[in-house]
Short mmCIF file of all heavy atoms in Angstrom, two decimals:
data_model
loop_
_atom_site.label_atom_id
_atom_site.label_comp_id
_atom_site.label_asym_id
_atom_site.label_seq_id
_atom_site.Cartn_x
_atom_site.Cartn_y
_atom_site.Cartn_z
N PHE A 1 -44.52 33.94 -179.26
CA PHE A 1 -44.11 32.56 -179.30
C PHE A 1 -45.29 31.67 -179.05
O PHE A 1 -46.21 32.00 -178.32
CB PHE A 1 -43.05 32.28 -178.23
CG PHE A 1 -41.69 32.67 -178.66
CD1 PHE A 1 -41.15 33.88 -178.30
CD2 PHE A 1 -40.94 31.82 -179.44
CE1 PHE A 1 -39.90 34.24 -178.69
CE2 PHE A 1 -39.68 32.17 -179.84
CZ PHE A 1 -39.16 33.38 -179.47
N HIS A 2 -45.24 30.50 -179.64
CA HIS A 2 -46.23 29.46 -179.39
C HIS A 2 -45.46 28.15 -179.35
O HIS A 2 -44.56 27.92 -180.14
CB HIS A 2 -47.26 29.42 -180.51
CG HIS A 2 -48.20 28.28 -180.39
ND1 HIS A 2 -49.23 28.27 -179.48
CD2 HIS A 2 -48.27 27.10 -181.03
CE1 HIS A 2 -49.89 27.13 -179.57
NE2 HIS A 2 -49.33 26.40 -180.51
N ASN A 3 -45.79 27.30 -178.38
CA ASN A 3 -45.14 25.99 -178.36
C ASN A 3 -46.17 24.89 -178.31
O ASN A 3 -47.25 25.07 -177.77
CB ASN A 3 -44.13 25.88 -177.20
CG ASN A 3 -44.79 25.89 -175.85
OD1 ASN A 3 -45.68 25.11 -175.59
ND2 ASN A 3 -44.37 26.79 -174.99
N ASP A 4 -45.84 23.78 -178.91
CA ASP A 4 -46.67 22.59 -178.92
C ASP A 4 -45.80 21.41 -178.54
O ASP A 4 -44.77 21.18 -179.17
CB ASP A 4 -47.25 22.31 -180.32
CG ASP A 4 -48.38 23.24 -180.66
OD1 ASP A 4 -49.25 23.44 -179.80
OD2 ASP A 4 -48.39 23.77 -181.79
N LEU A 5 -46.21 20.70 -177.52
CA LEU A 5 -45.52 19.47 -177.16
C LEU A 5 -46.12 18.39 -178.05
O LEU A 5 -47.23 17.95 -177.84
CB LEU A 5 -45.71 19.15 -175.68
CG LEU A 5 -44.84 18.05 -175.10
CD1 LEU A 5 -43.36 18.40 -175.28
CD2 LEU A 5 -45.13 17.88 -173.62
N ASN A 6 -45.40 18.04 -179.12
CA ASN A 6 -45.92 17.11 -180.14
C ASN A 6 -46.37 15.79 -179.54
O ASN A 6 -47.48 15.36 -179.72
CB ASN A 6 -44.86 16.82 -181.20
CG ASN A 6 -44.53 18.02 -182.03
OD1 ASN A 6 -45.35 18.91 -182.17
ND2 ASN A 6 -43.34 18.06 -182.57
N ASP A 7 -45.48 15.14 -178.87
CA ASP A 7 -45.72 13.81 -178.34
C ASP A 7 -44.93 13.69 -177.04
O ASP A 7 -43.72 13.50 -177.07
CB ASP A 7 -45.26 12.77 -179.36
CG ASP A 7 -45.45 11.35 -178.88
OD1 ASP A 7 -45.93 11.15 -177.74
OD2 ASP A 7 -45.11 10.43 -179.64
N PRO A 8 -45.59 13.83 -175.89
CA PRO A 8 -44.85 13.79 -174.63
C PRO A 8 -43.95 12.57 -174.48
O PRO A 8 -42.89 12.65 -173.89
CB PRO A 8 -45.95 13.80 -173.57
CG PRO A 8 -47.13 14.39 -174.26
CD PRO A 8 -47.01 14.00 -175.71
N ALA A 9 -44.35 11.44 -175.04
CA ALA A 9 -43.53 10.24 -174.94
C ALA A 9 -42.26 10.36 -175.79
O ALA A 9 -41.27 9.69 -175.54
CB ALA A 9 -44.33 9.02 -175.36
N ASN A 10 -42.30 11.21 -176.81
CA ASN A 10 -41.18 11.39 -177.72
C ASN A 10 -40.24 12.51 -177.26
O ASN A 10 -39.15 12.66 -177.80
CB ASN A 10 -41.70 11.69 -179.13
CG ASN A 10 -40.66 11.51 -180.19
OD1 ASN A 10 -39.64 10.87 -179.99
ND2 ASN A 10 -40.90 12.10 -181.33
N ASN A 11 -40.68 13.32 -176.28
CA ASN A 11 -39.86 14.41 -175.73
C ASN A 11 -39.40 15.41 -176.78
O ASN A 11 -38.23 15.77 -176.83
CB ASN A 11 -38.66 13.85 -174.96
CG ASN A 11 -39.08 13.09 -173.74
OD1 ASN A 11 -40.02 13.49 -173.06
ND2 ASN A 11 -38.42 12.00 -173.46
N ARG A 12 -40.33 15.85 -177.63
CA ARG A 12 -40.01 16.86 -178.64
C ARG A 12 -40.94 18.05 -178.46
O ARG A 12 -42.05 17.92 -177.96
CB ARG A 12 -40.16 16.27 -180.04
CG ARG A 12 -39.17 15.12 -180.27
CD ARG A 12 -38.98 14.79 -181.72
NE ARG A 12 -38.38 15.85 -182.50
CZ ARG A 12 -37.08 16.15 -182.52
NH1 ARG A 12 -36.24 15.49 -181.75
NH2 ARG A 12 -36.62 17.11 -183.29
N LEU A 13 -40.47 19.21 -178.88
CA LEU A 13 -41.23 20.45 -178.74
C LEU A 13 -41.14 21.22 -180.05
O LEU A 13 -40.08 21.26 -180.68
CB LEU A 13 -40.60 21.28 -177.61
CG LEU A 13 -41.18 22.64 -177.33
CD1 LEU A 13 -42.46 22.50 -176.51
CD2 LEU A 13 -40.18 23.49 -176.56
N GLN A 14 -42.25 21.80 -180.48
CA GLN A 14 -42.23 22.71 -181.62
C GLN A 14 -42.42 24.12 -181.08
O GLN A 14 -43.35 24.38 -180.33
CB GLN A 14 -43.36 22.41 -182.59
CG GLN A 14 -43.09 21.29 -183.53
CD GLN A 14 -44.14 21.21 -184.62
OE1 GLN A 14 -45.28 21.63 -184.44
NE2 GLN A 14 -43.75 20.68 -185.75
N LEU A 15 -41.52 25.01 -181.46
CA LEU A 15 -41.57 26.39 -181.04
C LEU A 15 -41.77 27.26 -182.27
O LEU A 15 -41.03 27.11 -183.25
CB LEU A 15 -40.26 26.75 -180.32
CG LEU A 15 -40.20 27.99 -179.49
CD1 LEU A 15 -41.21 27.93 -178.34
CD2 LEU A 15 -38.80 28.16 -178.92
N SER A 16 -42.78 28.13 -182.25
CA SER A 16 -43.09 28.97 -183.41
C SER A 16 -42.97 30.45 -183.05
O SER A 16 -43.39 30.87 -181.97
CB SER A 16 -44.51 28.69 -183.90
OG SER A 16 -44.64 27.35 -184.29
N PHE A 17 -42.42 31.23 -183.98
CA PHE A 17 -42.27 32.66 -183.80
C PHE A 17 -42.22 33.31 -185.18
O PHE A 17 -41.50 32.84 -186.06
CB PHE A 17 -40.97 32.96 -183.02
CG PHE A 17 -40.60 34.41 -182.97
CD1 PHE A 17 -41.33 35.28 -182.18
CD2 PHE A 17 -39.52 34.89 -183.68
CE1 PHE A 17 -40.99 36.62 -182.11
CE2 PHE A 17 -39.17 36.23 -183.62
CZ PHE A 17 -39.91 37.09 -182.83
N ALA A 18 -43.00 34.36 -185.38
CA ALA A 18 -42.99 35.14 -186.63
C ALA A 18 -43.15 34.26 -187.87
O ALA A 18 -42.46 34.44 -188.86
CB ALA A 18 -41.70 35.97 -186.71
N GLY A 19 -44.06 33.30 -187.80
CA GLY A 19 -44.35 32.45 -188.94
C GLY A 19 -43.36 31.34 -189.20
O GLY A 19 -43.47 30.61 -190.18
N GLU A 20 -42.37 31.18 -188.35
CA GLU A 20 -41.37 30.12 -188.51
C GLU A 20 -41.48 29.13 -187.34
O GLU A 20 -41.69 29.54 -186.20
CB GLU A 20 -39.97 30.73 -188.53
CG GLU A 20 -38.88 29.73 -188.82
CD GLU A 20 -37.50 30.39 -188.89
OE1 GLU A 20 -37.42 31.62 -188.96
OE2 GLU A 20 -36.53 29.65 -188.85
N THR A 21 -41.35 27.85 -187.64
CA THR A 21 -41.42 26.81 -186.61
C THR A 21 -40.11 26.04 -186.58
O THR A 21 -39.55 25.70 -187.62
CB THR A 21 -42.57 25.83 -186.91
OG1 THR A 21 -43.81 26.57 -186.90
CG2 THR A 21 -42.65 24.73 -185.87
N ARG A 22 -39.64 25.80 -185.36
CA ARG A 22 -38.40 25.03 -185.18
C ARG A 22 -38.69 23.86 -184.26
O ARG A 22 -39.42 24.00 -183.28
CB ARG A 22 -37.29 25.92 -184.61
CG ARG A 22 -36.94 27.06 -185.57
CD ARG A 22 -35.84 27.90 -185.09
NE ARG A 22 -35.61 29.01 -186.02
CZ ARG A 22 -34.76 29.98 -185.81
NH1 ARG A 22 -34.01 29.99 -184.71
NH2 ARG A 22 -34.61 30.95 -186.68
N ASP A 23 -38.13 22.70 -184.59
CA ASP A 23 -38.31 21.49 -183.80
C ASP A 23 -37.16 21.34 -182.81
O ASP A 23 -35.99 21.45 -183.19
CB ASP A 23 -38.36 20.26 -184.71
CG ASP A 23 -39.61 20.25 -185.57
OD1 ASP A 23 -40.69 20.50 -185.03
OD2 ASP A 23 -39.49 19.99 -186.78
N LEU A 24 -37.52 21.09 -181.56
CA LEU A 24 -36.52 20.94 -180.50
C LEU A 24 -36.68 19.59 -179.83
O LEU A 24 -37.79 19.07 -179.73
CB LEU A 24 -36.67 22.06 -179.46
CG LEU A 24 -36.76 23.49 -180.00
CD1 LEU A 24 -37.02 24.47 -178.86
CD2 LEU A 24 -35.50 23.87 -180.74
N ALA A 25 -35.60 19.04 -179.35
CA ALA A 25 -35.62 17.75 -178.65
C ALA A 25 -35.22 17.98 -177.20
O ALA A 25 -34.39 18.83 -176.88
CB ALA A 25 -34.65 16.78 -179.30
N ALA A 26 -35.81 17.21 -176.30
CA ALA A 26 -35.48 17.30 -174.87
C ALA A 26 -34.03 16.89 -174.66
O ALA A 26 -33.53 15.96 -175.29
CB ALA A 26 -36.40 16.40 -174.06
N VAL A 27 -33.35 17.64 -173.79
CA VAL A 27 -31.98 17.32 -173.40
C VAL A 27 -31.90 17.32 -171.88
O VAL A 27 -32.77 17.86 -171.20
CB VAL A 27 -30.95 18.33 -173.99
CG1 VAL A 27 -30.93 18.26 -175.51
CG2 VAL A 27 -31.25 19.73 -173.53
N VAL A 28 -30.87 16.71 -171.35
CA VAL A 28 -30.70 16.63 -169.90
C VAL A 28 -30.38 18.02 -169.36
O VAL A 28 -29.53 18.73 -169.91
CB VAL A 28 -29.57 15.64 -169.54
CG1 VAL A 28 -29.31 15.65 -168.05
CG2 VAL A 28 -29.93 14.25 -170.01
N ALA A 29 -31.08 18.41 -168.30
CA ALA A 29 -30.82 19.68 -167.62
C ALA A 29 -30.66 19.39 -166.13
O ALA A 29 -31.32 18.51 -165.59
CB ALA A 29 -31.98 20.65 -167.85
N ALA A 30 -29.78 20.13 -165.49
CA ALA A 30 -29.58 19.94 -164.05
C ALA A 30 -30.86 20.26 -163.29
O ALA A 30 -31.16 19.65 -162.27
CB ALA A 30 -28.44 20.82 -163.56
N SER A 31 -31.64 21.20 -163.82
CA SER A 31 -32.90 21.58 -163.21
C SER A 31 -33.80 22.17 -164.28
O SER A 31 -33.33 22.83 -165.20
CB SER A 31 -32.66 22.60 -162.11
OG SER A 31 -33.85 22.93 -161.46
N GLY A 32 -35.09 21.92 -164.18
CA GLY A 32 -36.04 22.45 -165.16
C GLY A 32 -36.17 21.55 -166.37
O GLY A 32 -35.72 20.42 -166.38
N SER A 33 -36.79 22.09 -167.40
CA SER A 33 -36.99 21.38 -168.67
C SER A 33 -36.25 22.13 -169.76
O SER A 33 -36.43 23.34 -169.92
CB SER A 33 -38.48 21.32 -169.02
OG SER A 33 -39.19 20.63 -168.04
N LYS A 34 -35.46 21.40 -170.54
CA LYS A 34 -34.65 22.03 -171.57
C LYS A 34 -34.82 21.30 -172.89
O LYS A 34 -34.81 20.07 -172.93
CB LYS A 34 -33.18 22.06 -171.17
CG LYS A 34 -32.31 22.89 -172.08
CD LYS A 34 -30.93 23.07 -171.49
CE LYS A 34 -30.12 24.04 -172.32
NZ LYS A 34 -28.77 24.22 -171.79
N TYR A 35 -34.98 22.08 -173.96
CA TYR A 35 -35.12 21.54 -175.31
C TYR A 35 -34.15 22.29 -176.21
O TYR A 35 -34.01 23.52 -176.10
CB TYR A 35 -36.55 21.76 -175.83
CG TYR A 35 -37.60 21.01 -175.06
CD1 TYR A 35 -38.13 21.53 -173.89
CD2 TYR A 35 -38.04 19.77 -175.49
CE1 TYR A 35 -39.10 20.84 -173.16
CE2 TYR A 35 -39.00 19.07 -174.78
CZ TYR A 35 -39.52 19.61 -173.62
OH TYR A 35 -40.46 18.92 -172.91
N GLU A 36 -33.49 21.57 -177.12
CA GLU A 36 -32.54 22.20 -178.03
C GLU A 36 -32.73 21.66 -179.44
O GLU A 36 -33.09 20.51 -179.63
CB GLU A 36 -31.10 21.94 -177.58
CG GLU A 36 -30.74 22.61 -176.29
CD GLU A 36 -29.29 22.41 -175.89
OE1 GLU A 36 -28.62 21.52 -176.47
OE2 GLU A 36 -28.83 23.13 -175.00
N GLY A 37 -32.45 22.53 -180.40
CA GLY A 37 -32.44 22.16 -181.80
C GLY A 37 -31.18 22.72 -182.43
O GLY A 37 -30.36 23.34 -181.75
N SER A 38 -31.04 22.55 -183.73
CA SER A 38 -29.83 23.03 -184.39
C SER A 38 -29.75 24.55 -184.41
O SER A 38 -28.68 25.13 -184.56
CB SER A 38 -29.74 22.48 -185.81
OG SER A 38 -30.85 22.91 -186.56
N ASN A 39 -30.91 25.22 -184.25
CA ASN A 39 -30.89 26.68 -184.35
C ASN A 39 -31.84 27.36 -183.36
O ASN A 39 -32.34 28.46 -183.63
CB ASN A 39 -31.21 27.12 -185.78
CG ASN A 39 -32.51 26.55 -186.26
OD1 ASN A 39 -33.20 25.84 -185.55
ND2 ASN A 39 -32.88 26.87 -187.49
N ALA A 40 -32.13 26.73 -182.23
CA ALA A 40 -32.98 27.34 -181.20
C ALA A 40 -32.89 26.51 -179.92
O ALA A 40 -32.53 25.34 -179.96
CB ALA A 40 -34.43 27.42 -181.66
N SER A 41 -33.24 27.15 -178.80
CA SER A 41 -33.33 26.41 -177.54
C SER A 41 -34.40 27.03 -176.66
O SER A 41 -34.75 28.21 -176.81
CB SER A 41 -31.97 26.39 -176.82
OG SER A 41 -31.63 27.69 -176.38
N PHE A 42 -34.92 26.22 -175.74
CA PHE A 42 -35.96 26.64 -174.80
C PHE A 42 -35.64 25.97 -173.47
O PHE A 42 -35.44 24.76 -173.42
CB PHE A 42 -37.33 26.18 -175.30
CG PHE A 42 -38.45 26.45 -174.34
CD1 PHE A 42 -39.16 27.64 -174.39
CD2 PHE A 42 -38.81 25.50 -173.39
CE1 PHE A 42 -40.20 27.88 -173.50
CE2 PHE A 42 -39.85 25.73 -172.51
CZ PHE A 42 -40.54 26.92 -172.56
N TRP A 43 -35.56 26.76 -172.41
CA TRP A 43 -35.27 26.21 -171.08
C TRP A 43 -36.21 26.85 -170.09
O TRP A 43 -36.27 28.07 -169.97
CB TRP A 43 -33.82 26.47 -170.70
CG TRP A 43 -33.44 25.99 -169.32
CD1 TRP A 43 -33.76 24.78 -168.77
CD2 TRP A 43 -32.67 26.68 -168.34
NE1 TRP A 43 -33.22 24.68 -167.51
CE2 TRP A 43 -32.55 25.84 -167.22
CE3 TRP A 43 -32.07 27.93 -168.31
CZ2 TRP A 43 -31.86 26.21 -166.08
CZ3 TRP A 43 -31.38 28.28 -167.17
CH2 TRP A 43 -31.28 27.44 -166.07
N GLU A 44 -36.96 26.03 -169.36
CA GLU A 44 -37.87 26.50 -168.32
C GLU A 44 -37.30 26.06 -166.98
O GLU A 44 -36.92 24.92 -166.80
CB GLU A 44 -39.27 25.92 -168.51
CG GLU A 44 -40.30 26.47 -167.54
CD GLU A 44 -40.23 25.86 -166.15
OE1 GLU A 44 -39.87 24.67 -166.02
OE2 GLU A 44 -40.52 26.58 -165.18
N HIS A 45 -37.22 27.02 -166.05
CA HIS A 45 -36.71 26.73 -164.72
C HIS A 45 -37.40 27.63 -163.72
O HIS A 45 -37.36 28.86 -163.85
CB HIS A 45 -35.20 26.97 -164.69
CG HIS A 45 -34.58 26.72 -163.37
ND1 HIS A 45 -34.18 27.73 -162.54
CD2 HIS A 45 -34.31 25.57 -162.71
CE1 HIS A 45 -33.68 27.23 -161.43
NE2 HIS A 45 -33.76 25.91 -161.50
N GLN A 46 -38.10 27.04 -162.77
CA GLN A 46 -38.79 27.75 -161.70
C GLN A 46 -39.71 28.86 -162.22
O GLN A 46 -39.72 29.98 -161.73
CB GLN A 46 -37.80 28.31 -160.69
CG GLN A 46 -37.03 27.23 -159.97
CD GLN A 46 -36.06 27.77 -158.94
OE1 GLN A 46 -35.78 28.95 -158.88
NE2 GLN A 46 -35.55 26.87 -158.11
N GLY A 47 -40.48 28.55 -163.27
CA GLY A 47 -41.46 29.48 -163.80
C GLY A 47 -40.89 30.54 -164.74
O GLY A 47 -41.63 31.39 -165.22
N GLU A 48 -39.61 30.48 -165.03
CA GLU A 48 -38.96 31.42 -165.93
C GLU A 48 -38.50 30.67 -167.17
O GLU A 48 -37.91 29.60 -167.06
CB GLU A 48 -37.76 32.05 -165.22
CG GLU A 48 -37.05 33.10 -166.02
CD GLU A 48 -35.93 33.75 -165.20
OE1 GLU A 48 -36.24 34.32 -164.13
OE2 GLU A 48 -34.77 33.64 -165.62
N ALA A 49 -38.77 31.22 -168.35
CA ALA A 49 -38.37 30.57 -169.59
C ALA A 49 -37.30 31.41 -170.29
O ALA A 49 -37.42 32.63 -170.35
CB ALA A 49 -39.56 30.38 -170.52
N THR A 50 -36.27 30.74 -170.80
CA THR A 50 -35.22 31.41 -171.57
C THR A 50 -35.22 30.79 -172.97
O THR A 50 -35.18 29.57 -173.11
CB THR A 50 -33.84 31.23 -170.91
OG1 THR A 50 -33.91 31.77 -169.59
CG2 THR A 50 -32.76 31.95 -171.70
N ILE A 51 -35.29 31.67 -173.97
CA ILE A 51 -35.39 31.21 -175.36
C ILE A 51 -34.25 31.82 -176.16
O ILE A 51 -33.96 33.01 -176.04
CB ILE A 51 -36.74 31.65 -175.98
CG1 ILE A 51 -37.89 31.06 -175.17
CG2 ILE A 51 -36.82 31.23 -177.44
CD1 ILE A 51 -39.23 31.66 -175.49
N SER A 52 -33.62 31.00 -176.97
CA SER A 52 -32.62 31.46 -177.92
C SER A 52 -33.16 31.17 -179.32
O SER A 52 -33.57 30.04 -179.61
CB SER A 52 -31.29 30.72 -177.69
OG SER A 52 -30.36 31.12 -178.65
N TRP A 53 -33.19 32.19 -180.18
CA TRP A 53 -33.76 32.07 -181.52
C TRP A 53 -32.87 32.87 -182.49
O TRP A 53 -33.23 33.95 -182.95
CB TRP A 53 -35.19 32.62 -181.52
CG TRP A 53 -35.98 32.36 -182.74
CD1 TRP A 53 -35.95 33.08 -183.90
CD2 TRP A 53 -36.95 31.34 -182.94
NE1 TRP A 53 -36.83 32.56 -184.80
CE2 TRP A 53 -37.47 31.48 -184.23
CE3 TRP A 53 -37.43 30.31 -182.15
CZ2 TRP A 53 -38.44 30.65 -184.74
CZ3 TRP A 53 -38.40 29.48 -182.66
CH2 TRP A 53 -38.89 29.64 -183.95
N PRO A 54 -31.66 32.36 -182.77
CA PRO A 54 -30.76 33.09 -183.66
C PRO A 54 -31.33 33.18 -185.07
O PRO A 54 -32.03 32.28 -185.49
CB PRO A 54 -29.49 32.26 -183.65
CG PRO A 54 -29.62 31.29 -182.53
CD PRO A 54 -31.07 31.14 -182.25
N PRO A 55 -31.07 34.20 -185.83
CA PRO A 55 -30.22 35.34 -185.47
C PRO A 55 -30.99 36.48 -184.80
O PRO A 55 -30.38 37.47 -184.42
CB PRO A 55 -29.68 35.79 -186.82
CG PRO A 55 -30.81 35.55 -187.76
CD PRO A 55 -31.47 34.28 -187.25
N GLU A 56 -32.31 36.34 -184.64
CA GLU A 56 -33.10 37.44 -184.09
C GLU A 56 -32.67 37.82 -182.68
O GLU A 56 -32.58 38.99 -182.34
CB GLU A 56 -34.59 37.12 -184.11
CG GLU A 56 -35.21 37.19 -185.48
CD GLU A 56 -35.00 35.94 -186.33
OE1 GLU A 56 -34.31 34.99 -185.87
OE2 GLU A 56 -35.51 35.91 -187.45
N PHE A 57 -32.44 36.84 -181.83
CA PHE A 57 -32.01 37.13 -180.47
C PHE A 57 -31.47 35.88 -179.81
O PHE A 57 -31.70 34.77 -180.24
CB PHE A 57 -33.16 37.70 -179.61
CG PHE A 57 -34.39 36.85 -179.60
CD1 PHE A 57 -34.49 35.77 -178.75
CD2 PHE A 57 -35.44 37.11 -180.45
CE1 PHE A 57 -35.61 34.97 -178.74
CE2 PHE A 57 -36.57 36.31 -180.45
CZ PHE A 57 -36.66 35.24 -179.60
N THR A 58 -30.72 36.09 -178.74
CA THR A 58 -30.25 35.00 -177.88
C THR A 58 -30.62 35.35 -176.45
O THR A 58 -30.61 36.52 -176.05
CB THR A 58 -28.73 34.79 -177.98
OG1 THR A 58 -28.07 36.00 -177.65
CG2 THR A 58 -28.32 34.35 -179.38
N ASP A 59 -30.98 34.35 -175.71
CA ASP A 59 -31.29 34.49 -174.28
C ASP A 59 -32.38 35.51 -173.96
O ASP A 59 -32.18 36.41 -173.15
CB ASP A 59 -30.02 34.78 -173.48
CG ASP A 59 -29.01 33.65 -173.61
OD1 ASP A 59 -29.45 32.49 -173.82
OD2 ASP A 59 -27.82 33.89 -173.49
N LEU A 60 -33.51 35.37 -174.60
CA LEU A 60 -34.69 36.15 -174.26
C LEU A 60 -35.32 35.48 -173.04
O LEU A 60 -35.58 34.28 -173.05
CB LEU A 60 -35.70 36.14 -175.42
CG LEU A 60 -37.07 36.73 -175.12
CD1 LEU A 60 -36.97 38.25 -174.97
CD2 LEU A 60 -38.05 36.37 -176.23
N THR A 61 -35.55 36.23 -171.98
CA THR A 61 -36.10 35.66 -170.76
C THR A 61 -37.55 36.09 -170.60
O THR A 61 -37.86 37.28 -170.71
CB THR A 61 -35.29 36.11 -169.51
OG1 THR A 61 -33.95 35.66 -169.69
CG2 THR A 61 -35.85 35.52 -168.24
N CYS A 62 -38.42 35.13 -170.35
CA CYS A 62 -39.85 35.38 -170.17
C CYS A 62 -40.23 35.06 -168.72
O CYS A 62 -39.88 34.01 -168.20
CB CYS A 62 -40.67 34.49 -171.10
SG CYS A 62 -40.23 34.66 -172.83
N LEU A 63 -40.94 35.99 -168.10
CA LEU A 63 -41.38 35.83 -166.72
C LEU A 63 -42.90 35.84 -166.66
O LEU A 63 -43.55 36.45 -167.50
CB LEU A 63 -40.84 36.97 -165.86
CG LEU A 63 -39.33 37.15 -165.84
CD1 LEU A 63 -38.97 38.46 -165.16
CD2 LEU A 63 -38.69 35.99 -165.11
N PRO A 64 -43.49 35.19 -165.64
CA PRO A 64 -44.95 35.26 -165.50
C PRO A 64 -45.38 36.70 -165.25
O PRO A 64 -44.67 37.48 -164.60
CB PRO A 64 -45.24 34.39 -164.28
CG PRO A 64 -44.00 33.62 -164.00
CD PRO A 64 -42.87 34.38 -164.62
N ALA A 65 -46.54 37.05 -165.77
CA ALA A 65 -47.10 38.39 -165.54
C ALA A 65 -47.52 38.51 -164.08
O ALA A 65 -48.06 37.55 -163.51
CB ALA A 65 -48.28 38.63 -166.45
N PRO A 66 -47.29 39.66 -163.46
CA PRO A 66 -47.72 39.84 -162.08
C PRO A 66 -49.25 39.75 -162.00
O PRO A 66 -49.95 40.17 -162.89
CB PRO A 66 -47.26 41.24 -161.71
CG PRO A 66 -46.40 41.71 -162.83
CD PRO A 66 -46.62 40.82 -163.99
N ARG A 67 -49.73 39.23 -160.89
CA ARG A 67 -51.18 39.10 -160.71
C ARG A 67 -51.71 40.22 -159.87
O ARG A 67 -51.19 40.77 -159.05
CB ARG A 67 -51.51 37.77 -160.06
CG ARG A 67 -51.20 36.65 -161.01
CD ARG A 67 -51.64 35.35 -160.42
NE ARG A 67 -51.35 34.31 -161.39
CZ ARG A 67 -51.85 33.12 -161.33
NH1 ARG A 67 -52.66 32.78 -160.38
NH2 ARG A 67 -51.55 32.23 -162.23
#
């Protein structure tokens, strides 16, 4: 995965995986940062990221590598 925060003032995120890019918009989250699009989502909370990228997968959780 690769993400680019296009324009922080615009609150949009581009998420890329396997040669495909999806545009996500910031949405209200009770905690953390959450972005959603018509066919993907990204939510970061306390250093953990959860990504949904249908149809390949839903709720993939990414954790920081141990140091």
Side-chain angles (χ1 to χ4, degrees):
F1 278 97
H2 174 76
N3 67 54
D4 284 315
L5 192 58
N6 293 335
D7 179 0
N10 196 18
N11 294 321
R12 297 197 64 79
L13 177 80
Q14 279 191 332
L15 196 60
S16 300
F17 171 72
E20 185 178 346
T21 299
R22 297 183 183 175
D23 292 314
L24 310 176
V27 296
V28 175
S31 183
S33 299
K34 190 170 187 180
Y35 296 84
E36 293 183 345
S38 61
N39 55 1
S41 67
F42 175 90
W43 178 45
E44 186 282 328
H45 179 255
Q46 296 181 348
E48 183 176 301
T50 302
I51 301 167
S52 177
W53 190 277
E56 286 82 358
F57 54 82
T58 57
D59 299 332
L60 171 71
T61 300
C62 304
L63 302 170
R67 292 185 178 195

